[in-house]
PDB file of all heavy atoms in Angstrom:
ATOM      1  N   TYR E  90      -8.336  23.392  14.086  1.00 94.00           N
ATOM      2  CA  TYR E  90      -8.500  24.807  13.776  1.00 94.00           C
ATOM      3  C   TYR E  90      -9.827  25.359  14.318  1.00 94.00           C
ATOM      4  O   TYR E  90     -10.811  24.653  14.441  1.00 94.00           O
ATOM      5  CB  TYR E  90      -8.415  25.043  12.268  1.00 94.00           C
ATOM      6  CG  TYR E  90      -9.565  24.482  11.464  1.00 94.00           C
ATOM      7  CD1 TYR E  90     -10.738  25.198  11.312  1.00 94.00           C
ATOM      8  CD2 TYR E  90      -9.475  23.239  10.842  1.00 94.00           C
ATOM      9  CE1 TYR E  90     -11.784  24.703  10.592  1.00 94.00           C
ATOM     10  CE2 TYR E  90     -10.513  22.732  10.114  1.00 94.00           C
ATOM     11  CZ  TYR E  90     -11.675  23.474   9.988  1.00 94.00           C
ATOM     12  OH  TYR E  90     -12.712  22.964   9.284  1.00 94.00           O
ATOM     13  N   MET E 107      -8.360  15.873  22.870  1.00 94.00           N
ATOM     14  CA  MET E 107      -8.390  16.271  21.471  1.00 94.00           C
ATOM     15  C   MET E 107      -9.596  17.187  21.265  1.00 94.00           C
ATOM     16  O   MET E 107     -10.704  16.856  21.679  1.00 94.00           O
ATOM     17  CB  MET E 107      -8.536  15.045  20.571  1.00 94.00           C
ATOM     18  CG  MET E 107      -7.371  14.101  20.658  1.00 94.00           C
ATOM     19  SD  MET E 107      -7.446  12.844  19.406  1.00 94.00           S
ATOM     20  CE  MET E 107      -8.939  11.998  19.832  1.00 94.00           C
ATOM     21  N   ARG E 130      -7.666  12.701  28.374  1.00 93.00           N
ATOM     22  CA  ARG E 130      -7.998  11.896  27.192  1.00 93.00           C
ATOM     23  C   ARG E 130      -9.441  12.086  26.736  1.00 93.00           C
ATOM     24  O   ARG E 130     -10.094  11.161  26.274  1.00 93.00           O
ATOM     25  CB  ARG E 130      -7.720  10.414  27.448  1.00 93.00           C
ATOM     26  CG  ARG E 130      -6.267  10.112  27.695  1.00 93.00           C
ATOM     27  CD  ARG E 130      -6.052   8.702  28.147  1.00 93.00           C
ATOM     28  NE  ARG E 130      -6.736   8.415  29.399  1.00 93.00           N
ATOM     29  CZ  ARG E 130      -6.301   8.799  30.587  1.00 93.00           C
ATOM     30  NH1 ARG E 130      -5.170   9.456  30.688  1.00 93.00           N
ATOM     31  NH2 ARG E 130      -6.977   8.523  31.670  1.00 93.00           N
ATOM     32  N   TRP E 132     -12.180  13.464  24.178  1.00 95.00           N
ATOM     33  CA  TRP E 132     -12.223  13.792  22.758  1.00 95.00           C
ATOM     34  C   TRP E 132     -13.487  14.608  22.494  1.00 95.00           C
ATOM     35  O   TRP E 132     -14.588  14.096  22.650  1.00 95.00           O
ATOM     36  CB  TRP E 132     -12.208  12.512  21.938  1.00 95.00           C
ATOM     37  CG  TRP E 132     -12.410  12.710  20.475  1.00 95.00           C
ATOM     38  CD1 TRP E 132     -12.284  13.874  19.779  1.00 95.00           C
ATOM     39  CD2 TRP E 132     -12.778  11.719  19.519  1.00 95.00           C
ATOM     40  NE1 TRP E 132     -12.533  13.668  18.455  1.00 95.00           N
ATOM     41  CE2 TRP E 132     -12.841  12.363  18.265  1.00 95.00           C
ATOM     42  CE3 TRP E 132     -13.057  10.358  19.604  1.00 95.00           C
ATOM     43  CZ2 TRP E 132     -13.193  11.669  17.106  1.00 95.00           C
ATOM     44  CZ3 TRP E 132     -13.387   9.683  18.448  1.00 95.00           C
ATOM     45  CH2 TRP E 132     -13.450  10.333  17.220  1.00 95.00           C
ATOM     46  N   HIS E 135     -16.086  17.748  16.329  1.00 94.00           N
ATOM     47  CA  HIS E 135     -16.169  19.014  15.601  1.00 94.00           C
ATOM     48  C   HIS E 135     -17.370  19.831  16.074  1.00 94.00           C
ATOM     49  O   HIS E 135     -18.454  19.304  16.251  1.00 94.00           O
ATOM     50  CB  HIS E 135     -16.328  18.733  14.109  1.00 94.00           C
ATOM     51  CG  HIS E 135     -15.107  18.191  13.479  1.00 94.00           C
ATOM     52  ND1 HIS E 135     -14.399  18.869  12.545  1.00 94.00           N
ATOM     53  CD2 HIS E 135     -14.455  17.029  13.669  1.00 94.00           C
ATOM     54  CE1 HIS E 135     -13.363  18.152  12.170  1.00 94.00           C
ATOM     55  NE2 HIS E 135     -13.375  17.027  12.830  1.00 94.00           N
ATOM     56  N   ALA E 153     -19.757  14.952  17.547  1.00 93.00           N
ATOM     57  CA  ALA E 153     -19.707  16.187  16.759  1.00 93.00           C
ATOM     58  C   ALA E 153     -20.994  16.977  16.893  1.00 93.00           C
ATOM     59  O   ALA E 153     -22.089  16.424  16.907  1.00 93.00           O
ATOM     60  CB  ALA E 153     -19.463  15.842  15.302  1.00 93.00           C
ATOM     61  N   GLY E 154     -20.873  18.272  17.029  1.00 93.00           N
ATOM     62  CA  GLY E 154     -22.024  19.155  17.038  1.00 93.00           C
ATOM     63  C   GLY E 154     -22.834  19.143  18.319  1.00 93.00           C
ATOM     64  O   GLY E 154     -23.899  19.754  18.373  1.00 93.00           O
ATOM     65  N   GLY E 169     -25.790  14.941  21.055  1.00 93.00           N
ATOM     66  CA  GLY E 169     -27.067  15.613  20.877  1.00 93.00           C
ATOM     67  C   GLY E 169     -27.063  17.017  21.420  1.00 93.00           C
ATOM     68  O   GLY E 169     -26.119  17.478  22.037  1.00 93.00           O
ATOM     69  N   ASN E 170     -28.136  17.704  21.154  1.00 88.00           N
ATOM     70  CA  ASN E 170     -28.335  19.056  21.642  1.00 88.00           C
ATOM     71  C   ASN E 170     -29.681  19.114  22.332  1.00 88.00           C
ATOM     72  O   ASN E 170     -30.710  19.072  21.682  1.00 88.00           O
ATOM     73  CB  ASN E 170     -28.285  20.042  20.465  1.00 88.00           C
ATOM     74  CG  ASN E 170     -28.562  21.451  20.884  1.00 88.00           C
ATOM     75  OD1 ASN E 170     -28.570  21.756  22.050  1.00 88.00           O
ATOM     76  ND2 ASN E 170     -28.816  22.308  19.935  1.00 88.00           N
ATOM     77  N   ARG E 181     -20.844  -0.108  22.713  1.00 82.00           N
ATOM     78  CA  ARG E 181     -20.159  -1.208  22.028  1.00 82.00           C
ATOM     79  C   ARG E 181     -21.029  -2.462  22.022  1.00 82.00           C
ATOM     80  O   ARG E 181     -21.098  -3.179  21.028  1.00 82.00           O
ATOM     81  CB  ARG E 181     -18.837  -1.478  22.732  1.00 82.00           C
ATOM     82  CG  ARG E 181     -17.867  -2.245  21.880  1.00 82.00           C
ATOM     83  CD  ARG E 181     -16.520  -2.286  22.526  1.00 82.00           C
ATOM     84  NE  ARG E 181     -16.605  -2.642  23.917  1.00 82.00           N
ATOM     85  CZ  ARG E 181     -15.818  -2.155  24.867  1.00 82.00           C
ATOM     86  NH1 ARG E 181     -14.902  -1.277  24.569  1.00 82.00           N
ATOM     87  NH2 ARG E 181     -15.941  -2.535  26.115  1.00 82.00           N
ATOM     88  N   GLU E 194     -17.535   6.863  14.631  1.00 48.00           N
ATOM     89  CA  GLU E 194     -18.434   7.986  14.886  1.00 48.00           C
ATOM     90  C   GLU E 194     -19.742   7.821  14.109  1.00 48.00           C
ATOM     91  O   GLU E 194     -20.804   8.202  14.565  1.00 48.00           O
ATOM     92  CB  GLU E 194     -17.742   9.267  14.463  1.00 48.00           C
ATOM     93  CG  GLU E 194     -18.545  10.503  14.806  1.00 48.00           C
ATOM     94  CD  GLU E 194     -17.709  11.512  15.544  1.00 48.00           C
ATOM     95  OE1 GLU E 194     -16.489  11.423  15.489  1.00 48.00           O
ATOM     96  OE2 GLU E 194     -18.316  12.368  16.177  1.00 48.00           O
ATOM     97  N   LYS E 195     -19.622   7.225  12.933  1.00 45.00           N
ATOM     98  CA  LYS E 195     -20.794   7.091  12.071  1.00 45.00           C
ATOM     99  C   LYS E 195     -21.875   6.240  12.738  1.00 45.00           C
ATOM    100  O   LYS E 195     -23.012   6.656  12.893  1.00 45.00           O
ATOM    101  CB  LYS E 195     -20.358   6.452  10.760  1.00 45.00           C
ATOM    102  CG  LYS E 195     -21.489   6.171   9.819  1.00 45.00           C
ATOM    103  CD  LYS E 195     -21.188   4.917   9.029  1.00 45.00           C
ATOM    104  CE  LYS E 195     -22.506   4.336   8.550  1.00 45.00           C
ATOM    105  NZ  LYS E 195     -22.383   2.954   8.225  1.00 45.00           N
ATOM    106  N   SER E 202     -29.933   8.628  16.010  1.00 32.00           N
ATOM    107  CA  SER E 202     -30.778   9.555  15.238  1.00 32.00           C
ATOM    108  C   SER E 202     -31.769   8.815  14.361  1.00 32.00           C
ATOM    109  O   SER E 202     -31.651   7.645  14.121  1.00 32.00           O
ATOM    110  CB  SER E 202     -29.906  10.460  14.397  1.00 32.00           C
ATOM    111  OG  SER E 202     -29.140   9.678  13.524  1.00 32.00           O
TER     112      SER E 202
ATOM    113  N   LEU P  33      -8.849  27.165   0.543  1.00 91.00           N
ATOM    114  CA  LEU P  33      -7.688  26.388   0.987  1.00 91.00           C
ATOM    115  C   LEU P  33      -7.828  24.963   0.467  1.00 91.00           C
ATOM    116  O   LEU P  33      -8.834  24.314   0.726  1.00 91.00           O
ATOM    117  CB  LEU P  33      -7.594  26.364   2.508  1.00 91.00           C
ATOM    118  CG  LEU P  33      -7.478  27.697   3.226  1.00 91.00           C
ATOM    119  CD1 LEU P  33      -7.469  27.451   4.719  1.00 91.00           C
ATOM    120  CD2 LEU P  33      -6.229  28.411   2.819  1.00 91.00           C
ATOM    121  N   SER P  78     -16.385  23.447   5.202  1.00 95.00           N
ATOM    122  CA  SER P  78     -15.185  22.633   5.024  1.00 95.00           C
ATOM    123  C   SER P  78     -15.576  21.227   4.617  1.00 95.00           C
ATOM    124  O   SER P  78     -16.542  20.662   5.126  1.00 95.00           O
ATOM    125  CB  SER P  78     -14.338  22.616   6.290  1.00 95.00           C
ATOM    126  OG  SER P  78     -15.043  21.998   7.322  1.00 95.00           O
ATOM    127  N   PHE P  96     -20.313  27.645   7.166  1.00 94.00           N
ATOM    128  CA  PHE P  96     -19.739  26.884   8.268  1.00 94.00           C
ATOM    129  C   PHE P  96     -20.270  25.462   8.366  1.00 94.00           C
ATOM    130  O   PHE P  96     -20.195  24.857   9.422  1.00 94.00           O
ATOM    131  CB  PHE P  96     -19.923  27.613   9.606  1.00 94.00           C
ATOM    132  CG  PHE P  96     -19.176  28.906   9.659  1.00 94.00           C
ATOM    133  CD1 PHE P  96     -19.807  30.099   9.392  1.00 94.00           C
ATOM    134  CD2 PHE P  96     -17.826  28.917   9.935  1.00 94.00           C
ATOM    135  CE1 PHE P  96     -19.113  31.298   9.412  1.00 94.00           C
ATOM    136  CE2 PHE P  96     -17.128  30.110   9.957  1.00 94.00           C
ATOM    137  CZ  PHE P  96     -17.770  31.299   9.694  1.00 94.00           C
ATOM    138  N   MET P  98     -20.019  21.421   7.501  1.00 95.00           N
ATOM    139  CA  MET P  98     -18.827  20.592   7.537  1.00 95.00           C
ATOM    140  C   MET P  98     -19.167  19.209   7.001  1.00 95.00           C
ATOM    141  O   MET P  98     -20.183  18.637   7.388  1.00 95.00           O
ATOM    142  CB  MET P  98     -18.396  20.484   9.002  1.00 95.00           C
ATOM    143  CG  MET P  98     -16.941  20.417   9.234  1.00 95.00           C
ATOM    144  SD  MET P  98     -16.658  20.371  10.986  1.00 95.00           S
ATOM    145  CE  MET P  98     -16.385  22.068  11.349  1.00 95.00           C
ATOM    146  N   SER P 103     -14.008   9.632  10.669  1.00 90.00           N
ATOM    147  CA  SER P 103     -14.027  10.304  11.973  1.00 90.00           C
ATOM    148  C   SER P 103     -12.628  10.499  12.538  1.00 90.00           C
ATOM    149  O   SER P 103     -12.477  11.057  13.602  1.00 90.00           O
ATOM    150  CB  SER P 103     -14.924   9.573  12.959  1.00 90.00           C
ATOM    151  OG  SER P 103     -14.870   8.209  12.760  1.00 90.00           O
ATOM    152  N   HIS P 105     -10.412   9.323  14.325  1.00 90.00           N
ATOM    153  CA  HIS P 105      -9.876   8.679  15.533  1.00 90.00           C
ATOM    154  C   HIS P 105     -10.823   7.561  15.941  1.00 90.00           C
ATOM    155  O   HIS P 105     -12.019   7.644  15.725  1.00 90.00           O
ATOM    156  CB  HIS P 105      -9.766   9.672  16.694  1.00 90.00           C
ATOM    157  CG  HIS P 105      -8.941  10.881  16.369  1.00 90.00           C
ATOM    158  ND1 HIS P 105      -7.585  10.861  16.356  1.00 90.00           N
ATOM    159  CD2 HIS P 105      -9.307  12.124  16.016  1.00 90.00           C
ATOM    160  CE1 HIS P 105      -7.134  12.059  16.035  1.00 90.00           C
ATOM    161  NE2 HIS P 105      -8.164  12.852  15.808  1.00 90.00           N
ATOM    162  N   GLU P 108     -12.326   4.069  21.037  1.00 79.00           N
ATOM    163  CA  GLU P 108     -11.545   3.499  22.131  1.00 79.00           C
ATOM    164  C   GLU P 108     -10.257   2.944  21.566  1.00 79.00           C
ATOM    165  O   GLU P 108     -10.144   2.746  20.366  1.00 79.00           O
ATOM    166  CB  GLU P 108     -12.334   2.377  22.806  1.00 79.00           C
ATOM    167  CG  GLU P 108     -13.551   2.879  23.538  1.00 79.00           C
ATOM    168  CD  GLU P 108     -14.459   1.758  23.938  1.00 79.00           C
ATOM    169  OE1 GLU P 108     -14.969   1.060  23.060  1.00 79.00           O
ATOM    170  OE2 GLU P 108     -14.638   1.561  25.136  1.00 79.00           O
ATOM    171  N   ARG P 111      -5.870   5.981  19.485  1.00 84.00           N
ATOM    172  CA  ARG P 111      -6.538   7.047  18.740  1.00 84.00           C
ATOM    173  C   ARG P 111      -5.750   7.497  17.524  1.00 84.00           C
ATOM    174  O   ARG P 111      -6.237   8.265  16.725  1.00 84.00           O
ATOM    175  CB  ARG P 111      -6.766   8.240  19.667  1.00 84.00           C
ATOM    176  CG  ARG P 111      -7.933   8.001  20.597  1.00 84.00           C
ATOM    177  CD  ARG P 111      -8.161   9.195  21.461  1.00 84.00           C
ATOM    178  NE  ARG P 111      -9.383   9.025  22.233  1.00 84.00           N
ATOM    179  CZ  ARG P 111      -9.736   9.819  23.206  1.00 84.00           C
ATOM    180  NH1 ARG P 111      -8.968  10.823  23.549  1.00 84.00           N
ATOM    181  NH2 ARG P 111     -10.863   9.622  23.860  1.00 84.00           N
ATOM    182  N   PRO P 136     -19.405  10.592   8.400  1.00 93.00           N
ATOM    183  CA  PRO P 136     -19.184   9.517   7.447  1.00 93.00           C
ATOM    184  C   PRO P 136     -20.412   8.656   7.239  1.00 93.00           C
ATOM    185  O   PRO P 136     -21.107   8.321   8.193  1.00 93.00           O
ATOM    186  CB  PRO P 136     -18.032   8.718   8.071  1.00 93.00           C
ATOM    187  CG  PRO P 136     -17.730   9.353   9.369  1.00 93.00           C
ATOM    188  CD  PRO P 136     -18.307  10.699   9.350  1.00 93.00           C
ATOM    189  N   SER P 153     -25.683  11.241   9.788  1.00 90.00           N
ATOM    190  CA  SER P 153     -24.731  10.254   9.281  1.00 90.00           C
ATOM    191  C   SER P 153     -25.468   9.130   8.589  1.00 90.00           C
ATOM    192  O   SER P 153     -24.977   8.026   8.529  1.00 90.00           O
ATOM    193  CB  SER P 153     -23.900   9.708  10.428  1.00 90.00           C
ATOM    194  OG  SER P 153     -24.757   9.012  11.301  1.00 90.00           O
ATOM    195  N   ARG P 154     -26.662   9.381   8.097  1.00 90.00           N
ATOM    196  CA  ARG P 154     -27.461   8.280   7.566  1.00 90.00           C
ATOM    197  C   ARG P 154     -27.881   8.542   6.129  1.00 90.00           C
ATOM    198  O   ARG P 154     -27.636   9.589   5.577  1.00 90.00           O
ATOM    199  CB  ARG P 154     -28.717   8.107   8.418  1.00 90.00           C
ATOM    200  CG  ARG P 154     -28.438   7.987   9.865  1.00 90.00           C
ATOM    201  CD  ARG P 154     -29.714   7.982  10.635  1.00 90.00           C
ATOM    202  NE  ARG P 154     -30.346   6.677  10.602  1.00 90.00           N
ATOM    203  CZ  ARG P 154     -31.552   6.449  11.071  1.00 90.00           C
ATOM    204  NH1 ARG P 154     -32.264   7.418  11.568  1.00 90.00           N
ATOM    205  NH2 ARG P 154     -32.059   5.253  11.019  1.00 90.00           N
ATOM    206  N   HIS P 165     -30.378  17.647  16.238  1.00 88.00           N
ATOM    207  CA  HIS P 165     -29.290  16.788  16.672  1.00 88.00           C
ATOM    208  C   HIS P 165     -29.730  16.146  17.958  1.00 88.00           C
ATOM    209  O   HIS P 165     -29.836  16.818  18.953  1.00 88.00           O
ATOM    210  CB  HIS P 165     -28.023  17.605  16.864  1.00 88.00           C
ATOM    211  CG  HIS P 165     -26.842  16.796  17.295  1.00 88.00           C
ATOM    212  ND1 HIS P 165     -26.749  15.458  17.052  1.00 88.00           N
ATOM    213  CD2 HIS P 165     -25.713  17.138  17.938  1.00 88.00           C
ATOM    214  CE1 HIS P 165     -25.600  15.004  17.537  1.00 88.00           C
ATOM    215  NE2 HIS P 165     -24.969  16.009  18.086  1.00 88.00           N
ATOM    216  N   ALA P 167     -30.628  13.823  14.610  1.00 91.00           N
ATOM    217  CA  ALA P 167     -31.383  14.235  13.431  1.00 91.00           C
ATOM    218  C   ALA P 167     -32.731  13.530  13.354  1.00 91.00           C
ATOM    219  O   ALA P 167     -32.839  12.347  13.656  1.00 91.00           O
ATOM    220  CB  ALA P 167     -30.564  13.933  12.188  1.00 91.00           C
TER     221      ALA P 167
END
Side-chain angles (χ1 to χ4, degrees):
Chain E
Y90 68 84
M107 296 190 297
R130 296 171 299 283
W132 173 17
H135 289 246
N170 177 12
R181 199 171 47 215
E194 185 129 18
K195 176 213 157 201
S202 60
Chain P
L33 301 177
S78 64
F96 295 97
M98 214 177 265
S103 35
H105 304 282
E108 292 168 298
R111 283 182 173 170
S153 65
R154 308 173 80 188
H165 181 24

